[in-house]
Amino acid sequence: MSIENLRNYLLISTPGLNDSIFRKSIILLCEHDDNGAMGLILNKPILSDSNKSSFLKEIFENMKIDSKIYFGGPVNLQHCFVLHDESYLTTDTVKISNEVSLTSNNKIIDDIKNNIGPENYKINMGYAGWDKGQLEDEIKNGDWLIKPFSQNFIFNISDQDMWEFSTMDLGLDPNNFMGKSGRA
C-alpha cells in the first residue's frame, strides 16, 4: 500500500502515542492527498454531562438529538460532520467510499431528528487534520498503524472496544505491543 493513498483507511494510534487527544484513537481518513489529510476520530464520544464546557453544553442543547455525539478531532470544533451509510444522499454529501459518506449541513441533523436520515451514522464535532507531509512523518515515526476500514467496523464495534479490536485484528496483542524504542 502506498503511503500517498490512505483515503478510506483507518489510522490506529500505537500504544507509544501519548498525545492526550489521539491516545487510543481510531481515525477514518476521509481525505488524503499531496496537500495533507483530514479524518474523523470514531471512538471518542462526547459525554453529555454537567462537566462539559458551556460551548459543548450549547451544542447538545441546540442539536436536541438523542444520538451520541463524537469528538471528531481538535480542528474546527464548532463544525458538525455526519459520517453515515450510503442510504442517505443530499447535494452536499461527499462519498468517502461505496459504503460510507460524509454530510455536513443542517438538513441531515433535521432528517435524523425526524427519522428520515441515514440508518447508520456518527455525528462528529471537529476533525483531525494534517498539513502536507505531516501524517506521513507520523506514520514513519511509528505513531499510527494502518488498516482498511469496513462499514461494519465503523458502526457495529463499541467505542470502548474499537481500539483493542483493531490492534488484535492486525495480529497484535495491545498488552504486549512495544512502543517507540529509546536510545542508549
Side-chain angles (χ1 to χ4, degrees):
M1 166 187 32
S2 168
I3 202 163
E4 297 90 32
N5 187 17
L6 295 178
R7 183 179 179 170
N8 302 324
Y9 279 83
L10 295 174
L11 294 178
I12 303 158
S13 67
T14 61
L17 184 63
N18 287 322
D19 182 283
S20 61
I21 292 173
F22 295 109
R23 186 175 183 276
K24 291 192 174 183
S25 287
I26 305 293
I27 299 174
L28 173 63
L29 281 176
C30 300
E31 195 60 52
H32 185 234
D33 59 27
D34 291 339
N35 297 315
M38 177 270 186
L40 297 170
I41 299 173
L42 301 174
N43 62 328
K44 299 210 174 181
I46 300 170
L47 303 176
S48 58
D49 61 22
S50 59
N51 294 328
K52 270 206 269 343
S53 69
S54 60
F55 169 72
L56 290 175
K57 284 180 190 175
E58 185 177 327
I59 288 172
F60 274 85
E61 289 169 9
N62 288 340
M63 290 184 105
K64 294 183 179 125
I65 201 160
D66 291 333
S67 303
K68 283 185 186 177
I69 299 176
Y70 289 81
F71 172 70
V75 181
N76 207 0
L77 280 170
Q78 70 280 4
H79 199 82
C80 178
F81 299 88
V82 182
L83 188 64
H84 57 87
D85 62 32
E86 75 284 354
S87 69
Y88 184 85
L89 180 67
T90 70
T91 56
D92 295 331
T93 299
V94 175
K95 194 171 188 174
I96 304 297
S97 73
N98 290 332
E99 302 169 323
V100 177
S101 296
L102 185 67
T103 304
S104 182
N105 61 26
N106 290 333
K107 181 177 178 2
I108 190 169
I109 298 300
D110 290 338
D111 288 348
I112 289 170
K113 287 180 196 176
N114 295 316
N115 295 316
I116 57 172
E119 183 178 329
N120 295 298
Y121 60 89
K122 284 194 175 196
I123 300 172
N124 300 274
M125 299 306 297
Y127 67 92
W130 293 265
D131 288 331
K132 180 179 183 173
Q134 184 181 0
L135 178 60
E136 292 81 358
D137 289 345
E138 290 179 13
I139 291 169
K140 289 175 187 171
N141 189 44
D143 293 337
W144 300 102
L145 301 170
I146 304 166
K147 176 184 186 294
F149 89 98
S150 79
Q151 178 183 0
N152 288 333
F153 173 81
I154 292 173
F155 299 116
N156 295 328
I157 303 293
S158 70
D159 303 327
Q160 64 269 17
D161 295 334
M162 200 175 268
W163 184 80
E164 188 172 325
F165 178 90
S166 297
T167 55
M168 291 177 69
D169 193 46
L170 288 171
L172 303 170
D173 181 347
N175 298 315
N176 295 326
F177 190 83
M178 296 300 291
K180 297 176 189 152
S181 59
R183 295 182 184 209

